[in-house]
Amino acid sequence: MACISSHSLPFTRISCCRSISSTSLEFLYTHNYLFTAVPKIFSAPINSKSLKYGFTDFGRSSRRGYHQSVLPIFNSIASNNGTSSDSVERVAVLVIGGGGREHALCHTLKRSPSCDAVFCAPGNAGISTSGDATCIEDLDISNSSAVIAFCRKWGIGMVVVGPEAPLVAGLANDLVKDGIPTFGPSSEAAALEGSKDFMKRLCDKYAIPTAKYQTFTDPLDAKSYIKDQGAPIVVKADGLAAGKGVIVAMTLEEAYEAVDSMLVKNVFGSAGCRVIVEEYLEGEEASFFALVDGENAIPLESAQDHKRVGDGDVGPNTGGMGAYSPAPVLTKDLQDIVMETIIFPTVRGMSAEGCKFVGVLYAGLMIEKKSGLPKLIEYNVRFGDPECQVLMVRLESDLAQALLAACKGQLAGVSLEWSPGSAMVVVMASEGYPGSYKKGTVIKNLEEAEQVAPTVKVFHAGTALDSDGNFIATGGRVLGITAKGAHLLEARDRAYQGVEQINWPAGFYRRDIGWRALPTETTTTTTT
């Protein structure tokens, strides 16, 4: 089943017994999708405190989608014994975005006991056919008024903004102004990611450890500074560049070329009109995430991704070719140091600057080889991709409640539960990525990949369905084969076993995800 229109809005799948709001119930019935062959027996709006509904999924027809038959189960709970939905706020959630990160968020929100329904705009074919959310492909997420109207019409209790671009454009500002709880920072606070110069200046002002740097708009000045500093050195576009605006130059010539590409050739457009030139830090990279409510912050589990396109961390940077959690390099002591020296000062600094941060802070860190201490490389103001995938499959707490607490400034005292063991995601990308690549290539055997083990999940980042119902690639990074295991080795083996099942000749993947944590292990998988 392809993503559908907000005019028809059928649910792609609802399973598991859970309460549903009267608004969502009216939504289901009005569009005459799920209540097939069930007579209309309600003459008044239904309150979730008086009726509980169970929905039964009677089977899968094909990879084109699911055929649902839905059975309402009426259980009067008017006597209310203090259990079920009264103890927590129940919500329908709209997730903004359509990549692998959003698929993972939808998948986890769907499993949240307090979440009545999950919508995703625009979503993608994998999110829709898996039943992890109802995809609203024609909702213009760049139009705040359209998003607000959708939320009002369908009783959305929280919006979760996945990508950075809508945040920088101010979507969260508009939603919050209209009284809609929104997990994601204002455009002012999103400058932590939207401008590397802003982030660096904040670090300077609030003594947050980071690499030494200078900002330039003139290519000659930048090259003069690079010559004085020597190589290796790092050149970054100031603005958003889809994860491709960072050049780790191992020679002066590479650094000069990076400056010219950004300031002279304008390869990143306005995102590259300023460049940050910073010192090269030697050590091991790690990703650290924290939920923030404007004043308080709580840590998530650690993760480590693999930015370079090739095995052994060679080749150009990408948005991420794989990740695993937890990251052994981030010990408990180091996590405490990160919270005290980086996260808390950032939260306090943003509040002092008049732009409180609400959402998830994703700190890209370097654990310096010479000191063993963390330094901040960059901030993202949303869940990382593909790190989000491994975090979400390990989260055992109610994600909807945790994010809602952040929206309402109520994170103090909140704690999260995580599954033991490890998780790993291996990204499959279109051949040629991060350069030019062909779109529309057919991908087969995705269901077989998930049948490797119950803990294997395929998250879709860039897929659609063709006229024959086949999944096709529509992006650079296309799939994230994710698995859990009792330990990292088991998680890795299951993830790669899933990869081996997929038939996609036009795709490729790294064969060494997790190599830093498993230095003596190698993988032997090949593209099928």
Side-chain angles (χ1 to χ4, degrees), residues 261-315:
S261 69
M262 296 178 195
L263 293 180
V264 179
K265 300 177 182 178
N266 297 314
V267 295
F268 297 119
S270 61
C273 65
R274 286 188 298 187
V275 300
I276 286 77
V277 181
E278 68 177 29
E279 69 173 314
Y280 174 84
L281 298 177
E282 187 176 1
E284 188 168 352
E285 291 188 42
S287 303
F288 189 89
F289 299 84
L291 300 185
V292 182
D293 69 2
E295 299 289 347
N296 306 291
I298 61 172
L300 303 182
E301 272 285 1
S302 63
Q304 187 169 44
D305 73 342
H306 296 65
K307 289 293 188 188
R308 298 298 187 99
V309 71
D311 291 353
D313 287 339
V314 299

Coordinates of all heavy atoms in Angstrom, one line a residue, residues 261-315:
S261 N 35.4 25.1 -3.0 CA 34.1 24.5 -3.4 C 33.0 25.2 -2.6 O 31.9 25.3 -3.2 CB 34.2 23.0 -3.0 OG 34.2 22.8 -1.6
M262 N 33.3 25.6 -1.4 CA 32.2 26.2 -0.6 C 32.1 27.7 -0.9 O 31.0 28.3 -1.1 CB 32.5 26.0 0.9 CG 32.4 24.5 1.2 SD 32.8 24.2 3.0 CE 33.1 22.5 3.0
L263 N 33.2 28.5 -0.9 CA 33.2 29.9 -0.9 C 33.3 30.5 -2.3 O 32.9 31.6 -2.6 CB 34.3 30.5 -0.1 CG 34.2 30.3 1.4 CD1 35.4 31.0 2.2 CD2 32.9 30.9 2.0
V264 N 33.8 29.7 -3.3 CA 33.9 30.2 -4.7 C 32.9 29.5 -5.6 O 32.2 30.2 -6.3 CB 35.4 29.9 -5.2 CG1 35.5 30.4 -6.6 CG2 36.4 30.6 -4.3
K265 N 32.9 28.2 -5.5 CA 32.0 27.4 -6.4 C 30.5 27.3 -5.9 O 29.6 26.9 -6.6 CB 32.5 26.1 -6.7 CG 33.9 26.1 -7.4 CD 34.5 24.7 -7.6 CE 35.8 24.7 -8.2 NZ 36.4 23.4 -8.4
N266 N 30.4 27.6 -4.6 CA 29.0 27.6 -4.0 C 28.3 26.2 -4.1 O 27.1 26.2 -4.4 CB 28.1 28.7 -4.6 CG 28.7 30.1 -4.3 OD1 29.1 30.4 -3.2 ND2 28.7 30.9 -5.3
V267 N 29.1 25.2 -3.9 CA 28.5 23.8 -4.1 C 27.4 23.5 -3.1 O 26.5 22.7 -3.3 CB 29.5 22.7 -4.0 CG1 30.5 22.8 -5.2 CG2 30.3 22.7 -2.7
F268 N 27.4 24.2 -1.9 CA 26.4 24.1 -0.9 C 25.4 25.3 -0.8 O 24.7 25.4 0.1 CB 27.0 23.8 0.5 CG 27.8 22.5 0.5 CD1 29.2 22.6 0.8 CD2 27.2 21.3 0.3 CE1 29.9 21.4 0.9 CE2 27.9 20.1 0.3 CZ 29.3 20.2 0.6
G269 N 25.5 26.1 -1.8 CA 24.6 27.3 -1.8 C 24.9 28.2 -0.6 O 26.0 28.4 -0.2
S270 N 23.8 28.7 -0.1 CA 23.9 29.6 1.1 C 24.4 28.9 2.3 O 25.0 29.6 3.2 CB 22.5 30.2 1.4 OG 21.6 29.2 1.7
A271 N 24.3 27.6 2.4 CA 24.9 26.9 3.5 C 26.4 27.0 3.6 O 27.0 26.9 4.7 CB 24.5 25.4 3.5
G272 N 27.0 27.3 2.5 CA 28.5 27.4 2.4 C 29.0 28.8 2.3 O 30.2 28.9 1.9
C273 N 28.2 29.8 2.5 CA 28.6 31.1 2.3 C 29.6 31.6 3.4 O 30.3 32.6 3.3 CB 27.5 32.1 2.3 SG 26.5 32.2 3.8
R274 N 29.6 30.8 4.5 CA 30.6 30.9 5.6 C 31.2 29.6 5.8 O 30.5 28.6 5.7 CB 30.1 31.5 6.9 CG 29.7 33.0 6.9 CD 29.3 33.5 8.2 NE 28.1 32.8 8.7 CZ 27.5 33.2 9.9 NH1 28.0 34.1 10.6 NH2 26.4 32.5 10.2
V275 N 32.5 29.5 6.1 CA 33.1 28.2 6.5 C 33.8 28.3 7.8 O 34.3 29.4 8.2 CB 34.2 27.8 5.4 CG1 33.5 27.6 4.0 CG2 35.3 28.7 5.3
I276 N 33.8 27.2 8.5 CA 34.5 27.1 9.8 C 35.7 26.2 9.5 O 35.5 25.1 9.0 CB 33.6 26.5 10.9 CG1 32.5 27.5 11.4 CG2 34.4 26.0 12.0 CD1 31.4 27.7 10.4
V277 N 36.8 26.7 9.9 CA 38.1 25.9 9.7 C 38.5 25.5 11.2 O 38.7 26.4 12.0 CB 39.2 26.7 9.0 CG1 40.4 25.8 8.9 CG2 38.7 27.1 7.6
E278 N 38.6 24.3 11.5 CA 38.9 23.9 12.8 C 40.0 22.8 12.9 O 40.3 22.1 11.9 CB 37.6 23.4 13.6 CG 37.1 22.1 13.1 CD 35.8 21.7 13.9 OE1 35.1 22.5 14.5 OE2 35.6 20.5 14.0
E279 N 40.6 22.7 14.1 CA 41.7 21.8 14.2 C 41.2 20.3 14.1 O 40.0 20.0 14.4 CB 42.3 21.9 15.6 CG 41.5 21.5 16.8 CD 42.2 21.6 18.1 OE1 43.3 21.1 18.2 OE2 41.6 22.1 19.1
Y280 N 42.1 19.5 13.6 CA 41.8 18.1 13.5 C 42.0 17.4 14.8 O 43.1 17.5 15.4 CB 42.7 17.5 12.4 CG 42.7 16.0 12.3 CD1 41.7 15.4 11.5 CD2 43.6 15.2 12.9 CE1 41.6 14.0 11.3 CE2 43.6 13.8 12.7 CZ 42.6 13.2 12.0 OH 42.5 11.9 11.8
L281 N 41.0 16.7 15.3 CA 41.1 16.0 16.6 C 41.3 14.5 16.3 O 40.5 13.9 15.6 CB 39.8 16.2 17.4 CG 39.5 17.7 17.8 CD1 38.2 17.7 18.6 CD2 40.6 18.3 18.7
E282 N 42.3 14.0 17.0 CA 42.5 12.6 16.8 C 41.9 11.8 18.0 O 42.1 12.2 19.1 CB 44.0 12.3 16.7 CG 44.4 10.9 16.4 CD 45.9 10.6 16.2 OE1 46.6 11.6 16.4 OE2 46.3 9.5 15.9
G283 N 41.2 10.8 17.7 CA 40.6 10.0 18.7 C 39.4 9.1 18.1 O 39.5 8.8 16.9
E284 N 38.5 8.8 19.0 CA 37.3 8.0 18.5 C 36.1 8.8 18.6 O 35.8 9.4 19.7 CB 37.3 6.7 19.4 CG 36.2 5.7 18.9 CD 36.4 4.4 19.5 OE1 37.4 4.1 20.3 OE2 35.5 3.5 19.3
E285 N 35.3 8.8 17.6 CA 34.0 9.5 17.6 C 32.9 8.7 18.3 O 32.9 7.5 18.2 CB 33.6 9.8 16.1 CG 34.4 10.9 15.4 CD 33.9 11.3 14.1 OE1 32.6 11.5 14.1 OE2 34.6 11.4 13.1
A286 N 32.0 9.4 18.9 CA 30.8 8.8 19.5 C 29.7 9.8 19.4 O 29.9 11.0 19.3 CB 31.1 8.4 20.9
S287 N 28.5 9.2 19.5 CA 27.2 10.1 19.5 C 26.6 10.0 20.9 O 26.4 8.9 21.4 CB 26.3 9.6 18.4 OG 26.9 9.6 17.1
F288 N 26.2 11.1 21.4 CA 25.5 11.2 22.7 C 24.2 12.0 22.5 O 24.2 13.1 21.9 CB 26.4 11.9 23.7 CG 26.0 11.8 25.1 CD1 26.3 10.7 25.9 CD2 25.1 12.8 25.6 CE1 25.8 10.7 27.2 CE2 24.7 12.7 26.9 CZ 25.0 11.7 27.7
F289 N 23.2 11.4 23.1 CA 21.8 12.0 22.9 C 21.2 12.4 24.3 O 21.4 11.6 25.2 CB 20.9 11.1 22.2 CG 21.3 10.8 20.8 CD1 22.3 9.7 20.6 CD2 20.9 11.5 19.7 CE1 22.7 9.4 19.3 CE2 21.3 11.2 18.4 CZ 22.2 10.2 18.2
A290 N 20.5 13.5 24.4 CA 19.8 13.8 25.6 C 18.5 14.5 25.3 O 18.4 15.3 24.3 CB 20.7 14.8 26.4
L291 N 17.5 14.1 26.0 CA 16.2 14.8 25.9 C 16.2 16.0 26.7 O 16.7 16.0 27.9 CB 15.0 13.9 26.4 CG 14.8 12.6 25.6 CD1 13.6 11.9 26.2 CD2 14.7 12.8 24.1
V292 N 15.7 17.2 26.2 CA 15.8 18.4 26.9 C 14.4 19.1 26.9 O 13.7 19.1 25.9 CB 16.8 19.4 26.2 CG1 16.9 20.7 26.9 CG2 18.2 18.7 26.1
D293 N 14.0 19.7 28.0 CA 12.7 20.4 28.1 C 12.8 21.9 28.3 O 11.9 22.5 28.7 CB 11.9 19.8 29.3 CG 12.5 20.1 30.7 OD1 13.5 20.8 30.8 OD2 11.9 19.6 31.7
G294 N 14.0 22.4 28.0 CA 14.2 23.8 28.2 C 15.1 24.2 29.4 O 15.9 25.1 29.4
E295 N 14.9 23.4 30.5 CA 15.7 23.6 31.7 C 16.4 22.3 32.2 O 17.5 22.4 32.7 CB 14.7 24.1 32.8 CG 14.0 25.4 32.6 CD 15.0 26.6 32.6 OE1 16.1 26.4 33.1 OE2 14.6 27.7 32.1
N296 N 15.7 21.2 31.9 CA 16.3 19.9 32.4 C 16.7 19.0 31.2 O 16.2 19.2 30.1 CB 15.2 19.1 33.2 CG 14.7 20.0 34.3 OD1 15.3 20.3 35.3 ND2 13.4 20.4 34.2
A297 N 17.6 18.1 31.5 CA 18.0 17.2 30.4 C 18.3 15.8 31.0 O 18.7 15.7 32.2 CB 19.3 17.7 29.8
I298 N 17.9 14.8 30.3 CA 18.1 13.4 30.7 C 18.8 12.7 29.6 O 18.5 12.9 28.4 CB 16.9 12.6 31.1 CG1 15.9 12.5 29.9 CG2 16.2 13.3 32.3 CD1 14.7 11.6 30.2
P299 N 19.8 11.8 29.9 CA 20.6 11.2 28.8 C 19.9 10.0 28.2 O 19.1 9.3 28.9 CB 21.9 10.7 29.5 CG 21.4 10.5 31.0 CD 20.4 11.5 31.2
L300 N 20.1 9.8 26.9 CA 19.7 8.5 26.3 C 20.9 7.6 26.3 O 21.9 7.9 26.8 CB 19.2 8.8 24.9 CG 18.0 9.8 24.7 CD1 17.6 9.9 23.2 CD2 16.8 9.4 25.5
E301 N 20.7 6.4 25.7 CA 21.9 5.5 25.6 C 22.9 6.1 24.6 O 22.5 6.9 23.7 CB 21.4 4.1 25.2 CG 21.0 3.3 26.4 CD 22.3 2.8 27.2 OE1 23.4 3.1 26.8 OE2 22.1 2.1 28.2
S302 N 24.1 5.6 24.7 CA 25.1 6.0 23.7 C 25.0 5.2 22.4 O 24.4 4.2 22.4 CB 26.5 5.8 24.4 OG 26.7 4.4 24.6
A303 N 25.6 5.8 21.4 CA 25.7 5.1 20.1 C 26.9 5.6 19.4 O 27.5 6.6 19.7 CB 24.5 5.4 19.3
Q304 N 27.3 4.8 18.4 CA 28.4 5.2 17.5 C 28.1 5.0 16.1 O 27.6 3.9 15.8 CB 29.7 4.5 17.9 CG 31.0 5.0 17.2 CD 32.2 4.4 17.8 OE1 32.3 3.3 18.0 NE2 33.2 5.3 18.0
D305 N 28.3 5.9 15.2 CA 28.0 5.7 13.8 C 29.3 5.7 13.0 O 30.4 5.8 13.5 CB 27.0 6.8 13.3 CG 27.7 8.2 13.1 OD1 28.8 8.4 13.7 OD2 27.2 9.0 12.4
H306 N 29.1 5.4 11.7 CA 30.2 5.3 10.8 C 29.9 6.3 9.6 O 29.1 6.0 8.8 CB 30.3 3.9 10.3 CG 30.6 2.9 11.3 ND1 29.8 2.6 12.3 CD2 31.7 2.1 11.5 CE1 30.3 1.6 13.1 NE2 31.5 1.3 12.6
K307 N 30.6 7.4 9.6 CA 30.3 8.4 8.6 C 30.9 8.2 7.3 O 30.3 8.5 6.2 CB 30.9 9.8 9.2 CG 30.1 10.3 10.3 CD 28.7 10.7 9.9 CE 27.9 11.5 11.0 NZ 26.5 11.7 10.7
R308 N 32.1 7.6 7.2 CA 32.8 7.4 5.9 C 32.1 6.4 5.1 O 31.6 5.4 5.6 CB 34.3 7.1 6.1 CG 35.1 8.1 6.8 CD 35.2 9.5 6.0 NE 36.1 10.4 6.6 CZ 37.3 10.6 6.2 NH1 37.8 9.9 5.2 NH2 38.1 11.5 6.8
V309 N 32.2 6.5 3.8 CA 31.4 5.6 2.9 C 32.0 4.2 2.8 O 31.3 3.2 2.6 CB 31.3 6.2 1.5 CG1 32.6 6.2 0.8 CG2 30.2 5.5 0.7
G310 N 33.3 4.1 3.0 CA 34.0 2.8 2.8 C 34.5 2.1 4.0 O 34.7 2.7 5.1
D311 N 34.7 0.8 3.8 CA 35.2 0.0 4.9 C 36.5 0.5 5.4 O 37.3 1.0 4.6 CB 35.4 -1.5 4.4 CG 34.1 -2.2 4.1 OD1 33.1 -1.7 4.4 OD2 34.2 -3.3 3.6
G312 N 36.7 0.4 6.7 CA 37.9 1.0 7.3 C 37.9 2.5 7.5 O 39.0 3.1 7.7
D313 N 36.7 3.1 7.4 CA 36.5 4.5 7.5 C 37.3 5.3 6.5 O 38.1 6.2 6.8 CB 36.9 5.0 8.9 CG 35.9 4.6 9.9 OD1 34.7 4.3 9.5 OD2 36.2 4.5 11.1
V314 N 37.2 4.9 5.2 CA 37.8 5.6 4.1 C 36.7 6.2 3.2 O 35.6 5.8 3.2 CB 38.8 4.7 3.3 CG1 39.9 4.1 4.2 CG2 38.0 3.6 2.6
G315 N 37.2 7.2 2.4 CA 36.2 7.8 1.4 C 35.5 9.0 2.0 O 35.8 9.4 3.1

